[in-house]
């Protein structure tokens, strides 16, 4: 597939090349986390003011999980309750935290006029698969169980995430469908990882190895998974689930210059074939992780605004 970066994405890519930063996969996880956080800080947009931003702790299977609750100044309410979104950050299951996706969460809360509960899960390689999955499931259940305390309407609770967080959101949605606890109103999957086979064409095209390179994807995989057979577990590769029927309405974003592009597109198609209401939004001239770079990439701000519009329509 021929991929041509948008001019702004091309400019960002060239700036990263001129900066000559070491590839994340050449670093220790601790160093990679610092560089990832620094890059996210430099590229994040000016975020809208919130009515409140509250840090809290959520009980997890191996200890408390850090979380952050965003309440926008303009909030949809009915009988004192508002829609809510449980959000999982990206970072390849190795990097990322509440701060790396703080602006994304603020902007989604503002554009969607809903409460966002961002969750920080355990990271690899200190905590291998399925630690992040277990944390994500526990956090989603906790938010649902405490929805009224959080002023969230449990019938209007969404789940979503970016990249690795999109993977976790997809897994949480499947687990919730199978157990009917909780029942989500929808899921937002931003450039999600769905299949650790890494066999789609976009995992080998030169045009998709931009910033998040093919080798970096493999580095993330090797840190996250304990063994090769983990890749076949649906909790790591949600695309391995044979029946996707009954999952909630889905908004899924893919980027043209993203190694994960094809698996995201396939997942969107399979959801639609299974009867799920799907909106698939492609950004053909952008690379993986672009949604966090609203300061540099106008398309990131468009993507977040469109997510908010979809959440309001649902």
């Amino acid at each position: 597939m021929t991929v041509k970066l948008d001019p702004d994405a091309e400019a960002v890519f060239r700036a990263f090349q001129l900066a000559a930063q070491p590839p994340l996969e050449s670093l220790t996880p601790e160093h990679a986390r610092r560089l990832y956080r620094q890059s996210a800080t430099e590229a994040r947009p000016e975020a809208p003011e919130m009515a409140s931003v509250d840090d809290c702790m959520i009980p997890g299977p191996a200890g408390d999980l850090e979380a952050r609750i965003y309440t926008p100044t303009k909030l949809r309410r009915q009988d004192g309750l508002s829609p809510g979104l449980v959000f999982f950050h990206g970072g390849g299951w190795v990097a990322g935290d509440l701060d790396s996706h703080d602006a994304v969460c603020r902007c989604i809360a503002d554009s969607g006029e809903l409460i966002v509960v961002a969750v920080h899960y355990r990271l690899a390689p200190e905590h291998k698969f399925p630690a992040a999955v277990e944390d994500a499931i526990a956090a989603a259940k906790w938010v649902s169980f405490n929805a009224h305390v959080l002023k969230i309407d449990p019938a209007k609770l969404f789940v979503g995430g970016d990249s690795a967080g999109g993977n976790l959101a997809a897994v949480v949605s499947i687990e919730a469908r199978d157990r009917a606890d909780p029942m989500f109103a929808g899921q937002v999957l931003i450039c999600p990882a769905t299949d650790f086979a890494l066999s789609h064409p976009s995992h080998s095209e030169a045009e998709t190895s931009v910033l998040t390179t093919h080798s970096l994807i493999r580095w993330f995989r090797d840190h996250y998974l304990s063994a090769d057979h983990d890749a076949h577990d649906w909790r790591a590769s949600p695309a391995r689930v044979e029946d996707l029927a009954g999952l909630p309405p889905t908004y899924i974003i893919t980027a043209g210059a993203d190694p994960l592009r094809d698996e995201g597109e396939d997942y969107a198609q399979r959801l639609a074939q299974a009867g799920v209401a799907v909106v698939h939004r492609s950004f053909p001239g952008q690379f993986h992780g672009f949604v966090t770079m609203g300061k540099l990439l106008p398309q990131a701000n468009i993507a977040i605004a469109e997510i908010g519009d979809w959440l309001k329509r649902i």
Side-chain angles (χ1 to χ4, degrees):
M1 177 178 176
T2 301
V3 177
K4 181 176 174 57
L5 289 175
D6 291 342
D8 54 358
E10 178 72 27
V12 170
F13 180 41
R14 295 304 176 202
F16 270 84
Q17 290 179 311
L18 290 172
Q21 292 280 13
L24 290 186
E25 62 268 34
S26 70
L27 308 174
T28 65
E30 294 81 2
H31 191 180
R33 288 167 191 153
R34 291 196 296 272
L35 187 56
Y36 182 91
R37 189 180 301 112
Q38 176 187 334
S39 298
T41 300
E42 292 172 352
R44 68 187 179 194
E46 195 72 30
E49 285 293 322
M50 297 283 102
S52 64
V53 177
D54 300 302
D55 288 343
C56 68
M57 304 300 285
I58 291 177
D64 288 346
L65 305 172
E66 296 177 1
R68 187 170 292 166
I69 304 171
Y70 300 85
T71 303
T73 55
K74 185 177 181 182
L75 183 63
R76 291 178 284 146
R77 278 198 182 97
Q78 186 173 358
D79 299 325
L81 300 177
S82 301
L85 169 70
V86 183
F87 187 88
F88 304 110
H89 63 77
W93 305 272
V94 175
D97 52 29
L98 297 180
D99 291 335
S100 67
H101 284 65
D102 180 76
V104 170
C105 290
R106 288 173 183 263
C107 291
I108 291 177
D110 180 70
S111 62
E113 299 174 10
L114 81 173
I115 295 170
V116 173
V117 182
V119 178
H120 180 50
Y121 44 89
R122 285 174 288 168
L123 298 177
E126 296 88 346
H127 305 283
K128 294 274 194 176
F129 169 82
V133 172
E134 294 170 347
D135 289 353
I137 290 171
K141 289 182 176 179
W142 183 89
V143 173
S144 176
F145 183 79
N146 292 277
H148 285 86
V149 176
L150 298 169
K151 305 299 183 185
I152 292 174
D153 184 345
K156 298 177 181 177
L157 180 61
F158 297 81
V159 64
D162 174 34
S163 188
N167 167 278
L168 294 175
V171 171
V172 167
S173 289
I174 294 167
E175 199 271 348
R177 176 202 64 178
D178 293 346
R179 295 179 180 271
D181 178 29
M183 296 299 291
F184 292 108
Q187 60 177 342
V188 177
L189 310 179
I190 304 171
C191 299
T194 64
D195 190 349
F196 269 109
L198 309 186
S199 59
H200 289 81
S202 58
H203 280 289
S204 58
E205 295 171 357
E207 295 91 345
T208 60
S209 199
V210 178
L211 298 186
T212 301
T213 60
H214 301 152
S215 59
L216 180 57
I217 292 289
R218 292 190 293 272
W219 186 80
F220 285 144
R221 176 200 60 192
D222 294 344
H223 277 306
Y224 181 49
L225 302 183
S226 297
D228 290 343
H229 62 76
D230 287 341
H232 305 289
D233 190 320
W234 70 268
R235 296 172 301 165
S237 299
R240 299 304 176 95
V241 172
E242 292 185 6
D243 184 10
L244 299 179
L247 287 171
T250 301
Y251 192 93
I252 185 167
I253 287 176
T254 58
D258 182 357
L260 306 182
R261 180 197 67 219
D262 290 349
E263 62 192 78
E265 291 179 353
D266 282 356
Y267 199 67
Q269 292 170 5
R270 288 189 56 213
L271 285 167
Q273 290 166 358
V276 177
V278 177
V279 174
H280 173 210
R281 179 67 160 96
S282 172
F283 287 83
Q286 297 296 317
F287 45 68
H288 187 81
F290 79 97
V291 294
T292 64
M293 300 184 179
K295 181 179 180 180
L296 308 173
L297 301 174
Q299 290 289 297
N301 302 317
I302 291 172
I304 297 298
E306 291 181 357
I307 289 171
D309 289 342
W310 182 81
L311 288 166
K312 286 189 285 191
R313 291 198 305 273
I314 295 292

